[in-house]
Amino acid sequence: MVAHSRKHPLDSFSQKVCVEKGKIYSFSASVQVSEGSGIVAVVFKFPNRDAVRGGDVIAEHGCWTLLKGGFVANFTSPVEILFESKNTSVEIMVDNVSLQPFTKEEWRSHQDKSIKELRKSKVRFHVTQASKNPLNGTKVSIKQVKSHFPFGCGMNHYILTNSDYQKWFASRFKWTTFTNEMKWYSTEKARGQENYTIADNMVKFAQKNGISIRGHNVFWDDPKYQPDWVKSLSPEEVRTAAAKRINSVVSRYQGQLIAWDVVNENLHFSFYEDNLGENASAEFYSTAQQLDPDTTMFMNEYNTMEYSSDEKSSPANYKKKLEEILSYPRNENLSLGIGLQGHFGSGQPNLAYMRSTLDMLGAIGLPIWLTEVDVEKDPNQAQYLEEVLREGYSHPAVQGIIMFVGPEIAGFNVTTLVDKNFKNTPAGDVVDKLIEEWNSNTQEIIADDQGYIDVSLFHGDYEITAEGRVANTSATLSLRVARAHEPQAIVHVHIDT
């Protein structure tokens, strides 16, 4: 279909359908524009409500681009499907339009299947004597000592003075982000007076407990969150101060972090672009990579996957910003990552839109992390948190998840995992359940008549112990289970009898 002679952004074509309450609707269509390129969005118009954007993409002239999106039906009603382009001078072409309904049970089934395929591998153990004769009846113990998927939690300065917080955190998480302590307004409250004491001590605590750290952040593009003394500087003074800041903080933690959020929220805000020019973000990424060449440098933005109506941070605009940064001179080999904060409001999360966003950005081929996941207070908060975490963990493009949640005593009031006595909230129960579910419990299995044992294991590091039926005969080994192209790995365990 082709929409021409357009006068209004929503001038296109429409189709009315009826949707059922509680179902998840996944949308897709192939789109083109008649000249150049531009953002085309799908819009869902419900009776007596504003039109809701359900997904967008940068459409091109001369080739088809896949537009994906969707919504969750909160009530049974008719809905009108339309297309939007703010450039009314172009014609919109669409083909292969699909709106597919899923029950929550069907959606969850797909997640479970994806998790099994993505996060686990089949392993076959073959237990033999040194002569290679099989040892049937051997008991093999399989103990996971580390998970390879980063599932972590934000941390703040209260952890330095509260032993209960320390024990609670270190017993659960091996990945973290400091919520505020590395930010410029925390490390240089007065001009020229840097103080990294708190951040340094938190780094020491993390390293002592084997916890990997994401750096957050070098700069924040929101004018409101600059150090107070920066707000009154001239553009040239901002340039000088920013150069000192990036050299100071990135050099200080060089080689100690797994990632840096270099310019936070640069789709919504533009403090540095307004003061230093349109390439400010790209220049900061280039400098940060030079100072810490082995660390991945991330964009970090909110509402890209959690709120479809925020056009500033839509997947299409996120992709455009990535391309701008990568096309800047000296950034050809930049190690760039996609950070999606994941601050979900109250009410049912739009899992269809979340998945379509991850699909679109995942196609770029850069690593995606969910960086600050939380869910606002709601009678169903724990359920919604679990749905969001499962959606992220089950997606092939997602390489890590950090939640901005934690103990009440540390001020985590949006999504609290434990109360003042460190007793679990319902959300805390969900997180503990997922930690256990996404790791392989210690197993003891008896080898068959041919000495074989077949298991499916989550990707991670394992300690394997095989005990023969003859007294004092055993073997131990360390095993790393990772995603492989082969359908099944065979691990040979030899016991000297």
Side-chain angles (χ1 to χ4, degrees):
M1 298 181 287
V2 181
H4 59 87
S5 307
R6 300 173 56 247
K7 306 295 183 185
H8 184 274
L10 280 173
D11 281 349
S12 59
F13 14 71
S14 68
Q15 175 72 46
K16 284 187 177 179
V17 297
C18 189
V19 297
E20 295 180 52
K21 181 180 180 179
K23 286 193 174 180
I24 301 169
Y25 287 83
S26 179
F27 175 87
S28 65
S30 298
V31 296
Q32 274 194 61
V33 288
S34 57
E35 59 184 66
S37 64
I39 294 177
V40 173
V42 60
V43 175
F44 303 110
K45 193 170 184 180
F46 293 87
N48 305 317
R49 290 181 59 200
D50 293 334
V52 177
R53 285 168 66 97
D56 66 12
V57 74
I58 301 172
E60 307 282 347
H61 168 62
C63 66
W64 294 104
T65 303
L66 185 62
L67 166 61
K68 301 183 78 173
F71 61 92
V72 178
N74 293 320
F75 37 79
T76 298
S77 79
V79 60
E80 190 175 8
I81 306 169
L82 306 97
F83 293 85
E84 178 188 66
S85 170
K86 289 187 168 24
N87 182 0
T88 56
S89 66
V90 300
E91 297 176 354
I92 300 175
M93 289 163 267
V94 305
D95 201 358
N96 301 319
V97 183
S98 168
L99 185 69
Q100 186 171 359
F102 297 88
T103 64
K104 282 196 170 185
E105 292 74 21
E106 290 169 333
W107 199 266
R108 172 67 182 274
S109 176
H110 179 275
Q111 291 174 337
D112 291 344
K113 181 182 177 186
S114 180
I115 288 170
K116 184 177 179 180
E117 293 173 351
L118 288 170
R119 311 298 180 195
K120 302 181 79 174
S121 290
K122 292 181 179 179
V123 180
R124 165 170 279 192
F125 294 93
H126 192 204
V127 187
T128 64
Q129 295 173 317
S131 61
K132 297 188 178 180
N133 291 325
L135 283 173
N136 63 338
T138 302
K139 182 171 72 174
V140 177
S141 173
I142 305 167
K143 180 183 179 182
Q144 186 173 3
V145 294
K146 184 180 180 181
S147 170
H148 285 178
F149 184 87
F151 181 46
C153 186
M155 175 196 299
N156 66 26
H157 63 91
Y158 285 96
I159 204 160
L160 298 176
T161 56
N162 191 300
S163 59
D164 289 334
Y165 187 7
Q166 293 172 6
K167 293 173 186 174
W168 175 84
F169 196 103
S171 67
R172 286 167 171 79
F173 303 111
K174 294 301 178 185
W175 289 269
T176 193
T177 301
F178 303 165
T179 54
N180 291 300
E181 288 74 13
M182 282 188 177
K183 292 174 181 171
W184 196 2
Y185 61 63
S186 296
T187 62
E188 194 176 357
K189 294 179 180 179
R191 188 174 187 178
Q193 298 178 27
E194 291 184 329
N195 186 344
Y196 287 97
T197 303
I198 293 175
D200 285 350
N201 287 335
M202 291 175 68
V203 169
K204 290 176 184 175
F205 169 80
Q207 291 174 340
K208 179 182 175 182
N209 289 279
I211 300 167
S212 300
I213 308 164
R214 295 188 75 260
H216 178 72
N217 49 56
V218 181
F219 296 110
W220 197 341
D221 233 347
D222 189 341
K224 185 168 63 174
Y225 292 112
Q226 308 306 314
D228 288 339
W229 58 270
V230 170
K231 298 174 183 177
S232 60
L233 298 181
S234 68
E236 200 53 44
E237 289 172 321
V238 170
R239 184 178 299 279
T240 301
K244 181 172 177 285
R245 157 66 178 174
I246 194 170
N247 276 277
S248 173
V249 71
V250 179
S251 299
R252 187 179 196 88
Y253 299 113
Q254 188 267 334
Q256 300 182 69
L257 309 178
I258 59 172
W260 261 119
D261 295 330
V262 179
V263 186
N264 203 42
E265 299 173 0
N266 56 357
L267 292 177
H268 283 96
F269 307 105
S270 57
F271 176 82
Y272 293 97
E273 285 76 9
D274 294 342
N275 279 275
L276 307 179
E278 62 182 11
N279 292 320
S281 285
E283 291 173 4
F284 288 144
Y285 280 89
S286 176
T287 301
Q289 191 79 87
Q290 292 173 43
L291 293 168
D292 196 355
D294 296 326
T295 297
T296 303
M297 305 297 165
F298 276 76
M299 283 182 59
N300 191 46
E301 196 54 77
Y302 65 91
N303 282 352
T304 303
M305 68 172 181
E306 57 264 48
Y307 186 54
S308 63
S309 293
D310 189 340
E311 296 182 40
K312 286 185 177 180
S313 60
S314 72
N317 280 326
Y318 200 118
K319 183 180 179 183
K320 284 174 66 176
K321 191 69 172 182
L322 287 170
E323 291 170 347
E324 288 174 14
I325 292 170
L326 288 169
S327 65
Y328 186 74
R330 302 190 305 276
N331 282 354
E332 307 86 20
N333 298 315
L334 178 66
S335 178
L336 189 59
I338 297 170
L340 304 173
Q341 293 181 10
H343 295 294
F344 286 83
S346 59
Q348 175 68 53
N350 186 348
L351 299 180
Y353 181 72
M354 179 179 175
R355 183 175 296 181
S356 69
T357 297
L358 294 173
D359 285 347
M360 176 177 170
L361 295 179
I364 299 170
L366 300 177
I368 295 178
W369 279 57
L370 312 189
T371 56
E372 305 180 18
V373 176
D374 62 12
V375 176
E376 287 185 8
K377 292 189 182 300
D378 185 282
N380 298 311
Q381 182 189 52
Q383 172 194 331
Y384 296 156
L385 176 64
E386 180 174 352
E387 290 177 1
V388 168
L389 294 175
R390 286 189 184 279
E391 189 62 38
Y393 186 68
S394 66
H395 198 282
V398 175
Q399 296 188 14
I401 300 173
I402 302 289
M403 303 171 290
F404 266 25
V405 300
E408 181 182 350
I409 201 168
F412 289 94
N413 298 320
V414 177
T415 306
T416 305
L417 297 189
V418 287
D419 64 19
K420 292 179 180 178
N421 298 313
F422 282 83
K423 301 297 184 184
N424 269 11
T425 64
D429 285 337
V430 162
V431 171
D432 281 353
K433 178 181 74 172
L434 294 179
I435 290 173
E436 181 177 4
E437 182 181 324
W438 295 341
N439 284 272
S440 299
N441 295 324
T442 299
Q443 304 177 59
E444 291 188 347
I445 309 174
I446 304 299
D448 66 16
D449 291 344
Q450 298 300 314
Y452 287 110
I453 291 173
D454 293 303
V455 290
S456 178
L457 300 174
F458 281 98
H459 300 153
D461 296 337
Y462 289 81
E463 291 179 355
I464 311 299
T465 303
E467 297 180 3
R469 290 189 296 177
V470 178
N472 299 320
T473 60
S474 65
T476 61
L477 60 89
S478 296
L479 176 66
R480 182 180 179 88
V481 178
R483 192 175 184 186
H485 298 295
E486 297 82 12
Q488 182 167 282
I490 298 179
V491 179
H492 297 280
V493 183
H494 300 303
I495 297 181
D496 187 355
T497 58

